[in-house]
Amino acid sequence: MRQALRVFSLALVLGCAVGCGGPFAERMERGNLFASHGRWDEAAAEYEQALALNPNNQEARERLWMAKRSQASARVVRAQGLLQKGDARGAMAIAHEAAWLDPYNADARRIIAEASVRVLDQAEHLLGAGRAREALELTGEVLRSLPADARARSLDTAAREHIAAAAYARAEAFNQEGRLGNALLELAAAVQVMPNYRDVPAVMGELKRSLREQVTYTALVKPFTGDRSAADLAPGVGAARLRQALGPELPLAVVESEEQVDASAVGVRVTGGVSGYAFRHDQSTTPRSCMYVCGYSTVANPDHAAAETDLTNARMRLSPAETEVSQARSEVSRSERDVESAQRAVERAQREVESARADLERCRSRRPSGPPKPDREPRPDDPARCSSQESAVERELSRLRSEEERLAGPERRLTEARGRFSNAEGRLSVIQEDITVAASRLDRTPRTIQVARNCSHGYVVNVHAVHAMMTVTVSAAGLHDGAVILDQDARLYEQRNQDETFPAQPGRCDEVANGDPLDLPAEIELKHALLTKAVGGVRDQILFTYDRYRQQLLASADREHAAGARDEAVERYARYLLLGRVSVEERARLVALLASEKGITPAAVSDAL
């Protein structure tokens, strides 16, 4: 095996470079480096990263496979050593890792099989000694590697039944002692290992209902008294409305008679009264004003004067524009005549060139008659024989080029003149269009218009204000001991509404045409609103005493826990959580504490409570 590892390491070191740089190549190079030093875990991690960057790279896939085989082989060596030292549990765990890395590693499977027998022997011994939880941990480890092992499954079931039975027995004992919180959590421990053990689910539901009844806080609300002003309001602040305001979510019962109070109940006795009810309906007036159209006046139309001005201005621009067009047209005519004159000069020069060329051709084609005269005439093949004609051609060509150059000036001036003429015509066309538009606008615009006259309209608004108030006094004392919690706590409740009204006044401003009817609640509606506020206030005062009870229970649980009275502390913590109104953070802390005390998961505690 070690020889194979060395061969693989050498192959990695001598292998060809992968890629041409970049993250993929860097990962492969780091993997090769780790592999060359036998650090297979790091090498496999780098190859996995490289394969994630390039999932289709066959070389990365093969090297990862070889690295995992090497990881498995190294773990097999460690597992074999632990097995030889008698640590079957550790050997099985490491061999399980090896089998996961290399499912074809026969040595890993052999060690798992051999170690599992020894681990199950330990589990069986622990189970016989009454240490079922430790046995369950061992059977769980075996089943993780060998889920179909019959002996492991049998011992696992036996351990679970033993744990569930013990928890069930403890729950029954706690139930007999009246510690229903502990009993509930013990049943949660049973359910955690065996969800359908005996009648645990049903018993848990019944226990939770009983425990909720035990921790229920009772508020005995005696009928509120009322003075002469509030005699009809006092019954509205009663147990029925308070029960509705508090709702069924909390274990908080609101009753109205002594017969409904259990001797063992914890709670508060609430008494109170309603007084000082007063209702006022005040009226006042306030002047308002608005603007409305009260007639029309005929005035000069400013738009007509503006239209006249626009037409006059447009017509004033017409004459200069027409003059500009006329001048531009004359300039174009002059330029055209100059171009024609220059073109005729060019044509004459062209004819002179053609004539000179014809003379030259005749000279070159003519042969002299008679014998040549020495020193008088050149011979037929003498180049100087037609020199005068050639000079004439050159002169005429030069004159032609001069005439063509002179033609360029008039042509340029003609182009420029035509451009100015076109622009002048365009401006003239725009001005003519402006005149047409301005004349049309003037024709459509009347000389005079009707202008609305705005008048001020004064009117009176009647302001109605209603105001109802009453004072609610609440006292609260311990349900049985009479300890004062609230002593004549008086609170003032008020309800105010206001509205405006005025009669319809047609023919004036739009906002007063239809009037504004009065929309005020009746006195009975204000009383109802006052009662709703008062009930909410008394509800909050009851919740204040309820929270006081909760905090006292939590403080006592903390004291018991600090004193080492675990069962009593658990009981009180469980009851405290059932009372609700606990922050998320506080609940998580207490659930974790109860889970630790009972050896179960926080999820099991949350499900139970």
Side-chain angles (χ1 to χ4, degrees), residues 104-164:
Y104 302 101
N105 193 305
D107 291 331
R109 295 197 300 274
R110 175 185 57 78
I111 293 173
I112 290 173
E114 185 176 345
S116 66
V117 173
R118 300 187 189 183
V119 172
L120 290 177
D121 289 342
Q122 295 176 19
E124 193 168 11
H125 174 74
L126 290 170
L127 188 59
R131 298 161 65 182
R133 287 193 178 276
E134 298 174 57
L136 185 62
E137 291 181 12
L138 296 180
T139 59
E141 291 183 11
V142 173
L143 289 172
R144 186 163 62 94
S145 300
L146 301 171
D149 188 280
R151 185 187 178 198
R153 293 173 70 85
S154 176
L155 287 173
D156 186 82
T157 301
R160 290 179 182 276
E161 289 179 344
H162 190 280
I163 294 171

Side-chain angles (χ1 to χ4, degrees), residues 269-307:
R269 182 186 300 272
V270 179
T271 58
V274 182
S275 61
Y277 170 76
F279 172 79
R280 291 179 56 186
H281 183 175
D282 297 324
Q283 298 185 47
S284 62
T285 59
T286 181
R288 298 267 177 86
S289 64
C290 61
M291 302 299 293
Y292 71 100
V293 176
C294 56
Y296 293 89
S297 301
T298 301
V299 298
N301 186 358
D303 290 342
H304 186 275

Side-chain angles (χ1 to χ4, degrees), residues 187-297:
L187 291 178
V191 168
Q192 182 175 293
V193 294
M194 294 194 75
N196 296 316
Y197 183 74
R198 295 177 63 174
D199 56 349
V200 169
V203 174
M204 285 184 72
E206 185 59 36
L207 271 179
K208 189 170 182 178
R209 284 190 294 273
S210 299
L211 184 57
R212 183 179 171 92
E213 290 176 1
Q214 288 188 10
V215 301
T216 294
Y217 187 77
T218 301
L220 172 58
V221 180
K222 304 297 288 183
F224 274 48
T225 61
D227 65 6
R228 291 181 59 185
S229 67
D232 61 330
L233 292 171
V237 189
R241 291 195 66 178
L242 287 168
R243 192 180 303 115
Q244 183 180 11
L246 286 164
E249 293 79 15
L250 298 175
L252 200 166
V254 180
V255 299
E256 56 268 0
S257 67
E258 301 283 352
E259 291 76 13
Q260 296 174 285
V261 179
D262 190 90
S264 60
V266 177
V268 64
R269 182 186 300 272
V270 179
T271 58
V274 182
S275 61
Y277 170 76
F279 172 79
R280 291 179 56 186
H281 183 175
D282 297 324
Q283 298 185 47
S284 62
T285 59
T286 181
R288 298 267 177 86
S289 64
C290 61
M291 302 299 293
Y292 71 100
V293 176
C294 56
Y296 293 89
S297 301

